[in-house]
């Protein structure tokens, strides 16, 4: 339900304002999610990794492409600012994240891995804000998000690794080694920043401040979960691989 609300909000990035068109896009998103669910299989009963892993790898490659878009913005906008391309990007952003959450939930009791990923993402955001606010000088992507700094990124990474070290043990999440846990956390946190930047880039081009006003004072659903859109597929792929 959260991701389908996100799909509805995504339409504003593509300058789609008609309510029926938004509902149609949301319905197509639901059908794509269901079709993928049927192909991969119920994660709780055992999923087909021969389909899942290539799908997640494709999603990660797409995120790499969007990283290039962010780095070269605003000149890159000519490649993707059309309505069909932005709508297609919405599926790339949301559907792999949803499937990754379903798979990770099946990997441990009570969804502890989901909570683990949420915690490191929140720790990263909190550490990045605190350090960036106090010490941030060097802009990370000024054309897309002028408030994000390199110092904030480093502060967020350190905070996330500390939280990961504590809760991996507390939740009894199985990694092949402490080094793998740190590496997977590092990569996930860095990529989660990309999720935030990608949404900021699409909002900037469409002239939208928030994805919606669904959450008063906080914007929309996408404004709350933007970093998770990239974090979950990357974490799921690395966790399943190692």
């Amino acid at each position: 339900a959260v991701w389908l609300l996100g799909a509805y909000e995504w339409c504003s990035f593509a300058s789609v304002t008609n309510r029926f068109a938004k509902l149609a896009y949301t319905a197509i998103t639901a059908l794509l999610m269901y079709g993928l669910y049927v192909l991969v299989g119920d994660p709780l009963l055992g999923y087909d990794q021969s389909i899942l892993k290539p799908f997640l790898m494709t999603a990660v490659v797409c995120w790499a492409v969007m990283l290039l878009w962010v780095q070269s913005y605003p000149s890159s906008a000519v490649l993707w600012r059309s309505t069909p391309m932005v709508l297609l990007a919405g599926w790339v952003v949301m559907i792999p994240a949803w499937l990754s959450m379903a798979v990770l939930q099946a990997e441990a009791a009570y969804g502890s891995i989901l909570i683990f990923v949420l915690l490191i993402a929140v720790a990263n955001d909190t550490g990045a804000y605190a350090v960036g606010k106090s010490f941030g000088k060097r802009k990370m992507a000024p054309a897309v998000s002028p408030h994000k700094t390199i110092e904030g990124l480093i502060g967020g990474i350190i905070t996330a690794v500390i939280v990961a070290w504590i809760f991996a043990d507390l939740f009894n999440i199985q990694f092949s080694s402490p080094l793998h846990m740190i590496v997977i956390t590092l990569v996930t946190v860095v990529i989660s920043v990309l999720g935030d930047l990608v949404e900021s880039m699409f909002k900037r081009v469409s002239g939208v401040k928030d994805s919606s006003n669904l959450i008063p004072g906080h914007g929309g659903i996408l404004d709350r979960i933007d970093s998770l859109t990239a974090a979950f597929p990357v974490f799921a792929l690395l966790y399943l691989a190692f």
Side-chain angles (χ1 to χ4, degrees), residues 34-49 51-52 98-99 102-103:
Y34 178 73
L36 189 59
Y37 178 86
V38 171
L39 281 175
V40 173
D42 187 340
L44 293 173
L45 301 177
Y47 46 84
D48 188 344
Q49 293 209 29
I51 297 176
L52 175 65
W98 160 78
L99 181 63
V103 169

Side-chain angles (χ1 to χ4, degrees), residues 116 120 124 153-154 156-162 164 178-193 234-235 238:
F116 177 80
I120 62 175
N124 172 58
L153 175 64
I154 295 171
I157 290 173
I158 293 172
T159 307
V161 169
I162 293 172
L179 178 61
H180 279 133
M181 184 272 292
I182 292 173
V183 171
I184 291 174
T185 299
L186 282 172
V187 175
T188 301
V189 166
V190 171
I191 295 298
S192 73
V193 177
V234 170
F235 183 92
L238 294 175

Side-chain angles (χ1 to χ4, degrees), residues 3-175:
W3 293 109
L4 289 179
L5 282 171
Y8 186 87
E9 291 180 351
W10 189 272
C11 293
S12 62
F13 301 160
S15 301
V16 176
T17 56
N18 182 277
R19 180 173 298 179
F20 293 105
K22 289 183 175 182
L23 290 173
Y25 179 75
T26 306
I28 294 171
T29 304
L31 289 174
L32 290 172
M33 292 165 71
Y34 178 73
L36 189 59
Y37 178 86
V38 171
L39 281 175
V40 173
D42 187 340
L44 293 173
L45 301 177
Y47 46 84
D48 188 344
Q49 293 209 29
S50 66
I51 297 176
L52 175 65
K53 286 185 177 179
F55 175 78
L56 292 178
M57 290 178 67
T58 302
V60 171
V61 169
C62 290
W63 276 107
V65 171
M66 287 191 282
L67 171 60
L68 296 176
W69 290 353
V70 169
Q71 288 181 326
S72 56
Y73 180 83
S75 59
S76 65
V78 68
L79 300 174
W80 50 263
R81 69 184 307 166
S82 65
T83 295
M85 280 295 292
V86 175
L87 293 177
L88 180 62
W91 289 331
V92 171
V93 165
M94 287 176 286
I95 294 177
W98 160 78
L99 181 63
S100 300
M101 292 182 72
V103 169
L104 290 173
Q105 182 184 5
E107 287 292 319
Y110 312 113
S112 58
I113 299 183
L114 286 182
I115 300 171
F116 177 80
V117 179
L118 287 169
L119 284 172
I120 62 175
V122 170
N124 172 58
D125 288 344
T126 304
Y129 176 80
V131 175
K133 188 82 170 176
S134 303
F135 307 105
K137 293 181 179 179
R138 290 171 291 183
K139 304 296 183 182
M140 186 164 54
V144 174
S145 185
H147 299 298
K148 292 192 180 299
T149 63
I150 299 295
E151 292 82 2
L153 175 64
I154 295 171
I157 290 173
I158 293 172
T159 307
V161 169
I162 293 172
V163 168
W165 190 276
I166 295 170
F167 283 94
D169 181 62
L170 187 63
F171 290 167
N172 194 30
I173 297 175
Q174 300 301 313
F175 291 93

